[in-house]
Amino acid sequence: MTIHLQLSDELAEVLARLAENSGQSPEQVALSAIRNRVASFAEIDRLMAPTYAAMKSAGIDEDDAVEIFEAEKHALRRERQAAGQ
């Protein structure tokens, strides 16, 4: 697959500097950066797949899950504070 990207002058300068410092071509540096970022997203997707499936089966979205987690976090804090008094 061929993809053409238009970079800002600032980003192109950073890419050129990184390439020069590493002894690689700008294309090699860009491909390595993309490969690493895509791999990290793929790993997050792999790790989160069971959670996403559970959320879907419960009929909740990410916003709902965050609210549930926040409520639970605050409840646990209240319990710890009460136990410490």
Side-chain angles (χ1 to χ4, degrees), residues 14-71:
V14 171
L15 182 61
R17 191 169 43 254
L18 290 170
E20 184 177 330
N21 291 342
S22 68
Q24 297 178 314
S25 71
E27 292 82 4
Q28 289 171 315
V29 172
L31 281 173
S32 178
I34 292 168
R35 189 177 296 114
N36 291 339
R37 188 65 171 171
V38 167
S40 68
F41 283 138
E43 181 65 4
I44 290 169
D45 280 346
R46 184 187 71 75
L47 293 171
M48 291 299 297
T51 302
Y52 291 144
M55 288 168 48
K56 185 176 180 178
S57 71
I60 63 173
D61 62 14
E62 289 178 9
D63 291 333
D64 296 330
V66 168
E67 287 182 27
I68 293 166
F69 293 143
E70 282 293 312

